[in-house]
Amino acid sequence: MAYFPLHSRRSVGVIFSCLAAVVLEACATSESPTGDAGNGGTSTPGAGGSTGGSNTGGTSGDGGTTGVGGSVSGTGGASGSAGSSAGTTGTAGTTGTAGTTGSAGTTGTAGTTGTAGTTGAAGRGGTTGVAGTTGQAGRGGTSGSAGTTGTAGRGGTTGTAGRGGTTGTAGTTGTGGEAMIDCNAALPTGGTQRSSSNATGTAAGLSWAIWTNSGPGTITTFSVPAFAASWNGSGDFLARLGLQWNNTRKYDSYGTITAQFASRKTGSGGGYSYIGIYGWSTNPCVEFYIVDDSYNRLPVNPGNTTNKGTVTIDGGQYVLYTRNTNGTGGSKCGSSITSWVQFYSIRNTARTCGQITISDHFKAWAAAGMTLGNMDQAQILVETGGGTGSIEFPIANVTASTP
């Protein structure tokens, strides 16, 4: 701090007072500097004047000039810029405390510029929602029960599948769907030919037979289910190939009995002719025919018959007949049987190829009161009543679902 001579203290004090007023006015009207508050200037009180003599009452010493207050500290620092994404606003700088008025105090140092507020940290993005759990696939509906296998016929209708629910019940399997048959098959080569009026044997796992009542005929068999036959004025002529059971079991104990055949004929068959299935049963003694073709026009009537109605089997309509006979060659039922009954199923329209469901004819006969006994045989047949001709069966097979 500077000191002035005594004689000028009053005027100087006045000057300082004016300056202080001017400075304070200027500080009040000027913009505050940015930064920390300046420290107030320290003022030292003026020394008191010397006490005058007691007699003369000396002049009282002037009071020390009041030191000029330090400059008002700078206004607090500017608020920090807002941080991106919701950053925290910087705290405003604290206003500096005004300096204490002192004597001729030194002008306070300008306050330091406040530090800018720290930019707020960027706000974190919201947490991504967890994807919903995928629902489990629905379980398939319960499969329908398998259809019961019936007797011969075409495949049953398949049940309709349920939509998005239980699978439709499987359709009942048709009564023995028809096997694929090559109606244009060729007769096998080779084979064994026999000329006889009465002979039997086996070939391709089946039984064959030939019989005539007037002169011999021929039959040719092969290593597969097929045969050929010929005749020339042989009277009543029969040639056949199929299953032979020898009367050991009832007709209905063999399950489904079927035949597949394909045939080509030439020449003539005399006054009557049957192409189809032939066989016998015993107890009762029955000779039976299923006629699908003839050298004569179908339907034929054997004569002296009783009509037992009609039935549709394997896609064709058959007329059912019975008749009593004593035959010309005896029966398969023993020498004591001299007369017996014949059963017929005669197709209305001829066919030369297809499947014959033999057991369905047995059922139709039973429903019409025509009951068989123990089964002796069921075979594919050609029978003629004279004439000259021949026939080939490139396919001639008979099977039973129960041996």
Side-chain angles (χ1 to χ4, degrees), residues 105-318:
T106 304
T107 302
T109 305
T112 305
T113 302
T115 304
T118 305
T119 301
R124 294 182 180 179
T127 304
T128 304
V130 179
T133 305
T134 304
Q136 294 182 348
R139 294 183 179 179
T142 305
S143 299
S145 302
T148 304
T149 303
T151 53
R154 297 184 184 274
T157 304
T158 302
T160 304
R163 293 184 180 178
T166 304
T167 303
T169 303
T172 303
T173 302
T175 54
E178 183 173 330
M180 295 298 294
I181 299 172
D182 182 4
C183 294
N184 297 314
L187 189 71
T189 58
T192 302
Q193 185 181 87
R194 300 168 183 89
S195 178
S196 176
S197 59
N198 189 4
T200 60
T202 60
L206 301 172
S207 296
W208 60 266
I210 185 172
W211 184 89
T212 75
N213 66 356
S214 176
T218 66
I219 184 170
T220 303
T221 59
F222 303 87
S223 60
V224 295
F227 75 100
S230 62
W231 55 95
N232 183 6
S234 302
D236 189 16
F237 170 83
L238 291 83
R240 55 195 191 269
L241 178 71
L243 294 177
Q244 179 77 45
W245 291 288
N246 298 319
N247 311 308
T248 56
R249 286 158 52 182
K250 295 286 289 185
Y251 76 95
D252 56 359
S253 67
Y254 293 97
T256 301
I257 306 171
T258 57
Q260 293 83 38
F261 80 102
S263 63
R264 287 186 289 271
K265 58 185 183 293
T266 60
S268 66
Y272 59 88
S273 60
Y274 309 128
I275 300 170
I277 302 298
Y278 176 82
W280 288 85
S281 81
T282 60
N283 298 316
C285 184
V286 177
E287 183 182 20
F288 63 81
Y289 293 84
I290 301 171
V291 181
D292 269 40
D293 194 14
S294 173
Y295 281 86
N296 302 308
R297 186 173 180 177
L298 289 184
V300 298
N301 190 323
N304 301 316
T305 58
T306 299
N307 189 312
K308 304 294 285 187
T310 60
V311 65
T312 298
I313 299 173
D314 297 323
Q317 188 178 64
Y318 292 80

Side-chain angles (χ1 to χ4, degrees), residues 50-100:
S50 301
T51 304
S54 59
N55 292 326
T56 59
T59 305
S60 301
D62 293 327
T65 305
T66 304
V68 178
S71 300
V72 177
S73 63
T75 304
S79 301
S81 301
S84 62
S85 300
T88 306
T89 304
T91 306
T94 306
T95 304
T97 306
T100 305

